[in-house]
Every structure is written in C-alpha cells, then in structure tokens.
Amino acid sequence: MKKIEDYLARSENQYLKLYDESIKHPEKFWTNIAETFVWKKRWDKVLNFDFDKPEFKWFINGKLNITENCLDRHLSTNPDKTAILFEPNDPNSKSEKISYKQLHSRVCRFANVLKSKNVGKGDRVCIYMPMVPELTVAVLACARIGAVHSVVFAGFSSSALSARINDANCKVLLTADGSYRGSKVIDLISIANDALLECNSIESTIILKRINSNIKLKDNQTWWHDEIAMVSNECEAEEMDSEDMLFILYTSGSTGKPKGMVHTCGGYMIYTAYTFLNVFQYKPNDIYWCTADIGWITGHSYIVYGPLLSGATSVMFEGVPSYPDFSRFWKIVEKHKITHFYTAPTAIRALAKHPVSLVENNDLSSLKVLGSVGEPINEEAWNWYDKNIGKSKCPIVDTWWQTETGGIMLSSLAGVTKDKPTFATVPMIGIQPILLDKDGKEIFENDSEGILAIKFPWPSIARTIYGDHHRYKNVYFSAYPGYYFPGDGALTDINGNFRITGRVDDVVIVSGHNLGTAPIEDAINLHENVVESAVVGYPHDIKGNALRAFVILLNDKLDLDMQKEIKDLISKTIGPIAKPDIIQIVPGLPKTRSGKIMRRILRKIASGEKENFGDISTLLNPEIVDQILLNS
Ligand code: WTA
C-alpha cells in the first residue's frame, strides 16, 4: 500500500514539484493520495465536474467508510496511542486520554445506540453538545453507520437550533443536560427543549449527563449512559459511496436563512488528511491542539477528521481562554506539552491585551508550530503571537479556507514554505486560486488586488446546499461563471503570495464567526417599535469586526430598555454572538432610488469617518447622511 508520507512536501522544492504535478495531472495526483487510504471498493473514475450545473464528483463509485480510516486502520499499528486528549473546563478536574482502541470501542457502541433508535444510512442526526469527548464519539458514530451529522454550535439559540433541525429534517437530537463555559453553567437542555417545541421530525433525544442535573426526561428522551449500557461495542462500518453525504454544516449567508453545506465522504476524507499533514507537518509524537469548537468547520476538519485520519493526538478543550484567568491556554500548553497550537486571531488579540507575565510564567518550549484561522490576522497580533508564544522560532501557518471548501486552501506549510505576516501565502497542493477584476477577467500579474476565485475543483469542495441546489449555484458559481467564488477579496505581493483583504459581501466576521447581516436585521425588525434596520460591521480591536445597527423606530425614544429588548431578540433568534456593540437610532437610512440601502456609507460612518463618502448623488435622501452623523 502507498504511504501518504511519500507525498508530503518536506522542502520548498518538494512543494513546488508536488504543486506542479497536482496542477498538470490532477487526477493522477489525487489517485496517489487516495490510494494511501482504505477503500472497500476502488473507484471507476477519479473526477467528473461541471461548473455550470454545478456538479463535482470525486472517486466515482468508490466505496469506503471514513471511520475505518480514522479508527480501525490505526488499531493494528498504534492501538494505545492517545487519539483524543480531553482538557475539561475546570482546571482542577482530571484531563482524559482516550486511545484509538478506546475511541473505536466508544464510537461502535454509540453507533449501535443510534441503530437502536432506527437511525440508518442517509438519516440526519442533529448534534447540539458541549466540547466533550462524547461530541467526537457522536460525530464518528453517525459516520460509522452512514447517518449524516449536522452539528449545531452549542452557543446558538433555540430558534437557530430548531431552524437547522427542521431544514435537514433530523430524526434524532443528541444533546446534554448542560455545559460548562468558564464560570458559567449553560442550561443546554432547556434551549434544546424550547427548540423541540418547533420540531416535528425528531423521534428521539439522547441526553448526555454533563452537569449532573436532576432534570426530568420528557417522552422519547433518554440518558446517554443508560443507552450505551444496553448495546455492544462492535459495529460494522457501513459501506458508503464516495459521493454519499457525510455531513451537513450550516454557515451564514449574506441573505436569508443559513446555508446547510453538504460534504461527502471520499473527497473530504483525503483532502482534510492531506492538508493536515502538509500544513502542520505533524510528526508521530506531536500533541496537536486546535482551540476551535467542533460546531464549526475548523473543528470538523482539524480537530476530528484530519488529525484522526492521520493517527494524531488531538486535544479537545471544553473551556474558554479567560477561565480561571487569561493564562489558561498557556497552562494547557505546558501541562500537555503541546507541539502544535492552532487558534483564531480574535483569541490572540484578546490574550495580547493582558500582561505578558501571564504567558511567561509558563513553559512553552514544547511548541513547534503555530496556526491562525477564521479571519485576517493583523500585523500587530501576528508579531505578538510570533514573539511571545512562538519565541520567534515557530513557523506560523495562516490558513485561509471556508466551511464550503472543507479544508485549508491557502497557507504556508510549517517550516517548509516561508510565512509572511498577514499573508496566507501559497495555495495548497492541488488548488488553483486566481484574482479576478470587477469584470471577471483574470489578473495574471503579481502585486495586484482583486476578487479571489478558484479555477479547478478540489476533492473537499461542498457539493450543494442541503435542499437548495439553486442557491448553491447562485451564491458560488454565478457571479463569475467557470469559477468557484468564495466571497473574499485578496491581493498578491510581488512574489505572488496571497493576502486576504476581507469579505466582499454582507457577511461580517465577528470574533472569527461568520454572521450574515440580513438575519440580524430580520431579528431586529421583529421588535414592534422598529420600522427598519441596517446592520454593518466596523473594525474592532479584539473582535476583528464588531456590529453596529442603525434602527428606524416608530416612536423614536430609545431608552436602555429598548436596547436591551433588541439585543434579547437577537440572542433569542440567532444567539448572543450576533448582538451588535452599538445600536443607533436614525431618522432614516441612506437609500438608492431603487430602494437599496447604501451600506458602503453606513460602514464608513460606523468606522468613524466623518466625510469622504464618495458619490452620494444617487441617493434618494442625501441629507440623511448628515443627520445620521450628527447623532453618532
Ligand atoms: C474568513 C473558517 C483571512 C474568510 C475556516 C472566509 C479568513 C471565512 C481566514 C470563512 C484567514 C478564514 N485569513 N480570512 N486565514 N480564514 N477567513 O466558513 O472571510 O467559518 O471566507 O470557515 O472566514 O469562515 P468559515
């Protein structure tokens, strides 16, 4: 059998050579990578694609089960190696090491629980759980039997949860009685129960006892520990087609309801594993920690699948960087001798605000590689990270990618290709990024700025939006036909390194979380005293971006109660992460003659600009700009 190690780039020259092969002969290249995995049946054809339909199929008619590659495969070579290293919220609680053998057994056992609830191949299972090992078990148990997991971040509200359950028609809900986050205990089950009032498709709910509550179970609800006591720990892995659905994960769109991005088995498997090993240059005894939540794509691809496919030790942390104080991350690095630390710029900026003694009191000498993900990292944060955490000796991989891309698309390879502050730098092997100008023409020169697009399919591209292929085509393939359009702007330096400049649509990234402004406006407009609203992002020291809402009221006395009511509405419909920092009452909104809100102007006002609004002559009501400024 071929070994994936033989296809990893260990020097810049090797990267260039592999990149070249992957572009000239993509099918041959990805065949080599796919052959390093366990398949139940080989594929007939590597790739079929059509950007117009759009349709992407990889390893056609190949059969596999991703959990055999994440678990069973390692049992003959390294059964006792730690797969998951769990660090609980409370620093005084014991951490837990789960070996590949133990994880395999727990996954198979829970897979049998799902089967006992009549869950089979293709059925959707919603997972709304804290960052505890059972979350990983739940995800893999679904994959074991071919059920489609839809993980919903446990910070989302009951309405957000029910909307996602209903969109995917989920049969089973997996949740917990509560969760610990810093000094808070979150009543997860009440949120889940509220959501369930709106959901008809859920036949059973299985509840993990995490906070030892004495809740009373409702009809069709059972305890996790009771369920696993009744089944065996042996479970055959279901045979899946390469193009069968592996999971749905929701991401915000610039308009309307969230998009359920669909990922499939074969392509996602090989791409997440290959990028994990190339980008992080993980070696067998390394301890890798990604601080994301499994509720987001970063957790799916680079806590669960990429690392486990690679036989790595992946750390799961239940808590927050500020509890019990702002040295928690560094204490964990010292405690577990972390070698790889992968986090978000917003966390770095928040930590950099605190005395550096909180870092220096800990031994960080185990660290070899640092990573950044989720939003552009500013130079100051990059330098702080490099100097204080990496001690100027750890490469920093700035990884650009999206829920839709499944895996990392642009990044340096740690210690192999050069990093550069604020630049994601180079394309992954097999990836063909290009800048387009406003007319959609390719810009070939380096040192340019434009709209980022991807020219050729890669194995882990999302295949559709669940239940809405039309929207999939519209959002990603219509603006620039023949390309995948991610919605980000970018520039290149003279050497062709890429730097992401930010979103070019109405998605705002707040503390690394994608938020569409439209659903927030919809939530605000639910208030009986609101006529209309517009939400925009503006630069924020720590969060990267914060939100400011401009609100027209029916009766324009905005007291604090009203501010609170609006914020509560947003928390209830979306979740606390979507609350604006500033709510400003305005007499009107700047609108074009066709009635479109000119957000460009609001973004400038929110960023503190007092003049230079460009051409506002096309506004129906140019005088409104001064009126808004007067009160801001
Ligand atoms: C942004 C997160 C700059 C970008 C993996 C993208 C980044 C969106 C970076 C996807 C980065 C992600 N530098 N911007 N290294 N990584 N982004 O779906 O705007 O939660 O389109 O996936 O985050 O966010 P998502």
Side-chain angles (χ1 to χ4, degrees), residues 208-260:
L208 178 77
K209 198 166 228 183
R210 177 63 190 142
I211 61 164
N212 229 356
S213 64
N214 287 319
I215 55 157
K216 267 188 79 183
L217 300 183
K218 298 182 192 284
D219 284 351
N220 304 320
Q221 297 192 337
T222 47
W223 287 114
W224 185 290
H225 55 265
D226 289 337
E227 292 287 356
I228 56 174
M230 293 190 287
V231 292
S232 97
N233 64 351
E234 276 171 36
C235 178
E236 281 285 306
E238 184 76 28
E239 181 171 294
M240 302 296 286
D241 189 272
S242 177
E243 283 300 321
D244 277 340
M245 260 193 274
L246 173 63
F247 65 85
I248 302 171
L249 183 61
Y250 287 86
T251 187
S252 310
S254 46
T255 54
K257 60 178 191 172
K259 301 170 290 193

Side-chain angles (χ1 to χ4, degrees), residues 104-121:
H104 177 267
S105 156
R106 287 170 71 167
V107 166
C108 289
R109 194 179 283 283
F110 200 72
N112 284 328
V113 171
L114 290 174
K115 277 188 178 168
S116 76
K117 300 292 167 192
N118 220 4
V119 177
K121 186 168 173 172

Side-chain angles (χ1 to χ4, degrees), residues 297 374-376 398-403 488 500 503 509 514:
I297 192 68
E375 54 182 315
D398 177 358
T399 63
W400 174 82
W401 58 295
Q402 309 178 297
T403 306
D488 282 316
I500 304 299
R503 299 290 308 181
I509 307 210
N514 284 11

Side-chain angles (χ1 to χ4, degrees), residues 199-489:
C199 302
N200 295 322
S201 60
I202 297 289
E203 294 171 11
S204 4
T205 300
I206 302 172
I207 303 165
L208 178 77
K209 198 166 228 183
R210 177 63 190 142
I211 61 164
N212 229 356
S213 64
N214 287 319
I215 55 157
K216 267 188 79 183
L217 300 183
K218 298 182 192 284
D219 284 351
N220 304 320
Q221 297 192 337
T222 47
W223 287 114
W224 185 290
H225 55 265
D226 289 337
E227 292 287 356
I228 56 174
M230 293 190 287
V231 292
S232 97
N233 64 351
E234 276 171 36
C235 178
E236 281 285 306
E238 184 76 28
E239 181 171 294
M240 302 296 286
D241 189 272
S242 177
E243 283 300 321
D244 277 340
M245 260 193 274
L246 173 63
F247 65 85
I248 302 171
L249 183 61
Y250 287 86
T251 187
S252 310
S254 46
T255 54
K257 60 178 191 172
K259 301 170 290 193
M261 304 314 305
V262 170
H263 284 283
T264 55
C265 298
Y268 178 81
M269 171 174 79
I270 71 163
Y271 194 76
T272 51
Y274 187 57
T275 47
F276 171 74
L277 289 168
N278 258 335
V279 170
F280 295 102
Q281 296 286 311
Y282 180 91
K283 302 284 158 49
N285 294 320
D286 290 343
I287 311 283
Y288 162 91
W289 179 21
C290 165
T291 71
D293 191 291
I294 293 175
W296 311 112
I297 192 68
T298 306
H300 280 61
S301 301
Y302 298 108
I303 296 178
V304 181
Y305 287 110
L308 297 181
L309 285 163
S310 311
T313 297
S314 181
V315 175
M316 274 182 82
F317 175 44
E318 184 184 25
V320 292
S322 54
Y323 179 80
D325 65 37
F326 278 91
S327 67
R328 185 70 193 277
F329 273 3
W330 321 127
K331 292 225 157 61
I332 296 174
V333 169
E334 174 174 329
K335 177 173 174 191
H336 297 301
K337 302 204 166 41
I338 304 287
T339 55
H340 291 66
F341 180 73
Y342 186 31
T343 196
T346 187
I348 300 167
R349 287 189 295 262
L351 293 162
K353 294 266 173 220
H354 294 272
V356 69
S357 58
L358 290 175
V359 180
E360 284 164 354
N361 291 338
N362 305 283
D363 177 6
L364 306 187
S365 60
S366 56
L367 285 173
K368 298 198 292 190
V369 176
L370 302 178
S372 172
V373 59
E375 54 182 315
I377 177 164
N378 51 308
E379 190 145 8
E380 207 184 337
W382 198 101
N383 287 330
W384 185 88
Y385 198 28
D386 179 46
K387 178 168 167 249
N388 296 294
I389 310 306
K391 315 292 181 200
S392 308
K393 68 172 178 57
C394 298
I396 298 180
V397 293
D398 177 358
T399 63
W400 174 82
W401 58 295
Q402 309 178 297
T403 306
E404 295 85 338
T405 68
I408 296 169
M409 301 292 279
L410 299 172
S411 171
S412 52
L413 310 187
V416 170
T417 67
K418 286 185 204 67
D419 50 33
K420 175 171 177 177
T422 76
F423 280 73
T425 71
V426 293
M428 289 298 96
I429 294 164
I431 302 301
Q432 301 188 39
I434 182 83
L435 293 183
L436 303 177
D437 67 17
K438 275 208 285 301
D439 305 319
K441 289 219 180 58
E442 295 190 4
I443 305 174
F444 293 105
E445 301 79 35
N446 287 341
D447 199 11
S448 306
E449 183 158 4
I451 288 150
L452 184 61
I454 314 290
K455 276 172 95 155
F456 192 81
W458 63 98
S460 66
I461 183 174
R463 303 300 197 258
T464 190
I465 292 175
Y466 190 78
D468 200 347
H469 199 66
H470 181 70
R471 187 175 182 201
Y472 172 71
K473 175 169 175 153
N474 246 336
V475 176
Y476 304 108
F477 301 94
S478 297
Y480 304 96
Y483 302 91
Y484 168 75
F485 166 59
D488 282 316

